[in-house]
Amino acid sequence: MNVLELYSGIGGFHFALDESGVNGKVVASIEINNVANEIYKHNFPETKLYNSNIEGLTSEFINKLNVDTILMSPPCQPFTRNGLQKDIKDPRTASFLHVLQLLPSLHITKLLIENVKGFESSEMRDILTSTLEKCEFVYQEFILSPHQIGIPNSRHRYYCLAKKLPHVFSFQAGKLMLTFPCQIQKQECFPISNILEDKVSQNYVLSDSILMKRLNIMDICHPDSTRSCCFTKAYGRFLEGTGSVFTEKTKSQFAEIIKEVNVSSDDRSKLELIKSLKLRFFTPREICRLMCFPERFTFPDTISDRKKYMVLETVLTLKWYQS
């Protein structure tokens, strides 16, 4: 495959393709976010990266790239459960609509589209599938999560694979699938201990005020945990609904300390007990490992932790699946 990577971010699709062993090359990538582009260039200096608005693309430009495959993850904000869910009325769908308008005139035979859970019931999805049908693509839609393939993270996402006839899949395409078509059984997830860094700065430890006010809303992982919550771009700044935190204590040790906290009537004693849990945020490197980025992936020294968390929220978590 000769691949055009749209909305390329920090290279989630690119790494997935490289790690999969599938015969393919990313010929060019396009992204408008400057921070993401700095990280992408740092990791893929030989790939042609265009810092431009996708709405400005033409079929002539894309066809001159001599690509036959497009991988893309269009903006998800119009479809998120916590957003306004404006769907096609959200101006952030304009670039995706533009790509679909170009599709009939492109020399593309394979597509992979990723988005949030919820996209599958949107008007935008109906426009996507009707366009694919008009362009004589066979397609298969999925809702999948990393925990289904042994990764301890719940992050349900929409995926659509499409091939232009006469190309077909090795499985029978049909209704929305919630599992991989050839997966016999669910894989056991590896423990959180597999992603931990040896030495972690105190900067990631939760503050006293957060510990006292927010302990009861935290999703807490232990070394032997085989699950974690979806991480968002607000991780590291806010707690509720942004991702899991970590304690080196076992579940039983944690339960004993919490039992002591609940019977204590002195706030100072409570705080000392809670601080003994050593609750902290996961580091950006640990989240990279959780998302199955290879160790060779690195950030430029100029990128702050806050920016790292923000861009990591946008990357693909699932390993490449060859169909």
Side-chain angles (χ1 to χ4, degrees), residues 138-158:
V138 59
Y139 62 89
Q140 179 60 56
E141 298 170 286
F142 301 86
I143 296 293
L144 300 169
S145 173
H147 76 271
Q148 294 173 267
I149 52 172
I151 301 167
N153 185 241
S154 296
R155 185 183 172 89
H156 287 89
R157 288 296 184 267
Y158 168 90

Side-chain angles (χ1 to χ4, degrees), residues 48-64:
K48 182 64 178 176
L49 173 61
Y50 295 92
N51 183 359
S52 63
N53 190 331
I54 287 175
E55 291 177 63
L57 293 178
T58 64
S59 55
E60 292 78 14
F61 173 82
I62 295 175
N63 286 333
K64 284 182 180 178

Side-chain angles (χ1 to χ4, degrees), residues 28-138:
S29 58
I30 300 176
E31 172 62 61
I32 200 168
N33 184 292
N34 290 328
V35 175
N37 283 340
E38 184 178 354
I39 299 167
Y40 193 103
K41 288 178 183 176
H42 179 74
N43 287 278
F44 301 107
E46 296 179 358
T47 300
K48 182 64 178 176
L49 173 61
Y50 295 92
N51 183 359
S52 63
N53 190 331
I54 287 175
E55 291 177 63
L57 293 178
T58 64
S59 55
E60 292 78 14
F61 173 82
I62 295 175
N63 286 333
K64 284 182 180 178
L65 294 173
N66 293 319
V67 293
D68 55 30
T69 303
I70 290 179
L71 309 179
M72 58 175 160
S73 182
C76 64
Q77 296 91 338
F79 318 105
T80 55
R81 289 176 297 171
N82 297 329
L84 298 176
Q85 297 182 335
K86 288 187 174 182
D87 206 330
I88 59 173
K89 294 179 182 178
D90 192 310
R92 286 169 291 193
T93 61
S95 60
F96 189 23
L97 288 167
H98 179 69
V99 173
L100 295 181
Q101 289 169 358
L102 294 179
L103 189 58
S105 56
L106 299 181
H107 305 154
I108 297 298
T109 59
K110 302 180 189 71
L111 288 164
L112 172 54
I113 301 106
E114 181 267 355
N115 214 286
V116 292
K117 187 177 185 298
F119 180 88
E120 74 280 4
S121 57
S122 68
E123 289 183 63
M124 188 70 245
R125 176 265 174 191
D126 294 340
I127 295 173
L128 165 63
T129 55
S130 63
T131 302
L132 291 174
E133 289 166 4
K134 288 176 184 177
C135 295
E136 300 185 324
F137 279 84
V138 59

Side-chain angles (χ1 to χ4, degrees), residues 160-180:
C160 179
L161 287 171
K163 290 185 177 183
K164 192 162 189 174
L165 294 171
H167 300 284
V168 295
F169 295 115
S170 59
F171 57 87
Q172 182 64 46
K175 294 181 180 179
L176 179 76
M177 292 185 180
L178 303 180
T179 59
F180 289 102

